[in-house]
């Protein structure tokens, strides 16, 4: 499985007993009405691995699928969070990507959030699960749903071929910075392929060095240049790649902030990040959120959601 960070708010429940959890969940769904508090108490305080054991024990005890039973008992955003928590992370990512490309219109933000932030191993696992679950390759799905240079960047990310060593080639870094500069700021029009080749292929340490060199050559931060040179989804995906390389928790903090600030909430983004990062780096995401916006993530979620949906998100957030 994808390696979990140890910076999550959700950690292994001590004295874990899958059968006792099954009993609690069965009670919660008995008769008319549902005991949502009991469902939150179990699912928000177990790791993904522990929830898998609860799912197995449930099937054994009841002969039915836990996700299906909960799905028929719950509704709305609360149901989306609960069902997300029951999936293995690469399965959840694959499901989110599938949902993002379903029907008319595409939620490009999902494709960007997931593919720009996952490691090679994570992307390989997502690819495998997608194929197994949906009968076609993720690359085919993405190609059927996107176009142009944006599509090419996603396809490149899907190959999961980024160099993951920490070797910095000084001469190459200077050359990369120069090539990006000459492909963008220094000319009329932009040669986006150069950006793709450097940003999607090189390793993190090397790219951080490239960004320093770029600043020297152009007098601008790479993010500013991307904003000036690109637009739409292509701009968004290149910015996401740069931000994730620089500071992944800060990238997620910004996505969460933008999903809640102003009128209305982009629940798909809020749910996706809270479910996917709870066990990996939520502590760091919270710290970055506070540092960047001067308010706690907890207070933002509290003010922006309601009911059981709010309760389960706050549990995943893990207090102020």
């Amino acid at each position: 499985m994808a390696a979990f960070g140890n910076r999550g708010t959700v950690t292994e429940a001590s004295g874990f007993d899958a059968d006792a959890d099954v009993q609690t969940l069965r009670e919660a769904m008995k008769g008319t009405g549902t005991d949502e508090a009991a469902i939150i108490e179990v699912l928000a305080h177990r790791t993904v691995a522990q929830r898998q054991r609860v799912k197995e024990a449930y099937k054994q005890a009841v002969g039915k699928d836990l996700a299906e039973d909960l799905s028929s008992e719950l509704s709305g955003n609360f149901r989306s969070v609960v069902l997300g928590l029951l999936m293995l992370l690469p399965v959840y990512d694959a499901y989110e990507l599938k949902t993002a490309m379903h029907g008319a219109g595409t939620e490009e933000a999902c494709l960007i959030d997931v593919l720009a932030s996952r490691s090679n191993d994570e992307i390989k696992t997502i690819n495998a699960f997608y194929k197994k679950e949906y009968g076609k390759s993720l690359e085919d799905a993405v190609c059927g749903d996107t176009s142009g240079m944006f599509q090419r960047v996603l396809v490149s990310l899907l190959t999961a071929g980024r160099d993951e060593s920490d070797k910095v080639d000084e001469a190459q870094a200077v050359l990369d910075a120069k090539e990006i500069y000459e492909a963008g700021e220094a000319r009329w029009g932009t040669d986006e392929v150069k950006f793709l080749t450097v940003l999607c292929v090189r390793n993190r340490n090397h790219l951080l060095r490239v960004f320093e060199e770029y600043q020297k050559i152009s007098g601008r931060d790479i993010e500013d240049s991307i904003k000036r040179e690109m637009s739409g989804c292509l701009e968004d995906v290149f910015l996401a790649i740069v931000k994730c390389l620089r500071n992944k928790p800060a990238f997620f903090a910004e996505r969460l902030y933008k999903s809640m600030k102003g009128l209305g909430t982009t629940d798909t983004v809020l749910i996706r990040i809270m479910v996917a990062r709870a066990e990996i780096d939520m502590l760091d995401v919270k710290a970055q959120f506070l540092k960047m916006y001067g308010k706690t993530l907890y207070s933002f979620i509290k003010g922006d959601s309601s009911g059981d949906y709010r309760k389960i998100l706050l549990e995943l957030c893990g207090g102020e």
Side-chain angles (χ1 to χ4, degrees), residues 152-165:
R152 288 169 65 174
V153 174
L154 296 180
V155 168
S156 171
L157 293 172
L158 281 171
T159 61
R162 181 185 295 284
D163 169 19
E164 285 185 341
S165 72

Side-chain angles (χ1 to χ4, degrees), residues 188-290:
W188 183 251
T190 308
D191 176 3
E192 289 118 345
V193 182
K194 280 279 191 296
F195 279 81
L196 186 159
T197 305
V198 175
L199 292 177
C200 297
V201 178
R202 309 278 191 263
N203 74 59
R204 178 172 183 262
N205 283 3
H206 180 86
L207 281 168
L208 294 177
R209 190 73 198 83
V210 171
F211 301 156
E212 282 173 16
E213 280 302 319
Y214 184 85
Q215 176 84 44
K216 278 187 208 160
I217 296 168
S218 69
R220 282 184 207 288
D221 186 79
I222 183 75
E223 289 181 33
D224 292 335
S225 285
I226 290 170
K227 286 177 193 161
R228 284 162 57 92
E229 295 294 317
M230 326 260 176
S231 62
C233 296
L234 187 62
E235 175 189 343
D236 293 342
V237 74
F238 278 138
L239 281 177
I241 291 168
V242 171
K243 286 173 179 179
C244 284
L245 289 163
R246 283 179 157 167
N247 184 337
K248 201 176 286 183
F251 168 73
F252 287 121
E254 184 189 359
R255 296 290 296 130
L256 286 167
Y257 177 75
K258 286 185 169 165
S259 78
M260 291 183 280
K261 85 170 187 18
L263 284 172
T265 306
T266 315
D267 293 296
T268 48
V269 175
L270 178 55
I271 293 169
R272 184 164 55 242
I273 296 173
M274 295 307 293
V275 169
R277 308 315 291 186
E279 213 174 307
I280 300 176
D281 54 7
M282 188 53 71
L283 293 172
D284 299 322
V285 173
K286 283 164 67 172
Q288 287 293 334
F289 193 96
L290 183 59

Side-chain angles (χ1 to χ4, degrees), residues 15 24 29 33 72 85 97 123 141 148 150 163 223 229 232 241 261 281 284 320:
T24 305
M29 292 187 274
S72 65
L85 290 173
L97 292 166
I123 288 179
F150 177 56
D163 169 19
E223 289 181 33
E229 295 294 317
I241 291 168
K261 85 170 187 18
D281 54 7
D284 299 322
E320 289 275 8

Side-chain angles (χ1 to χ4, degrees), residues 6 13 37 62 80 92 119 142 180 191 227 241 252 274 285 317:
N6 52 359
V62 187
S80 300
Y92 181 60
S119 69
V142 165
I180 293 182
D191 176 3
K227 286 177 193 161
I241 291 168
F252 287 121
M274 295 307 293
V285 173
C317 179

Side-chain angles (χ1 to χ4, degrees), residues 143-183:
C143 287
D145 237 61
T146 57
S147 61
M149 191 51 69
F150 177 56
Q151 178 193 91
R152 288 169 65 174
V153 174
L154 296 180
V155 168
S156 171
L157 293 172
L158 281 171
T159 61
R162 181 185 295 284
D163 169 19
E164 285 185 341
S165 72
D166 47 18
K167 204 168 85 267
V168 178
D169 178 336
E170 284 295 334
Q172 186 62 49
V174 174
L175 195 64
D176 284 344
K178 215 167 124 202
E179 292 217 311
I180 293 182
Y181 177 63
E182 283 164 6

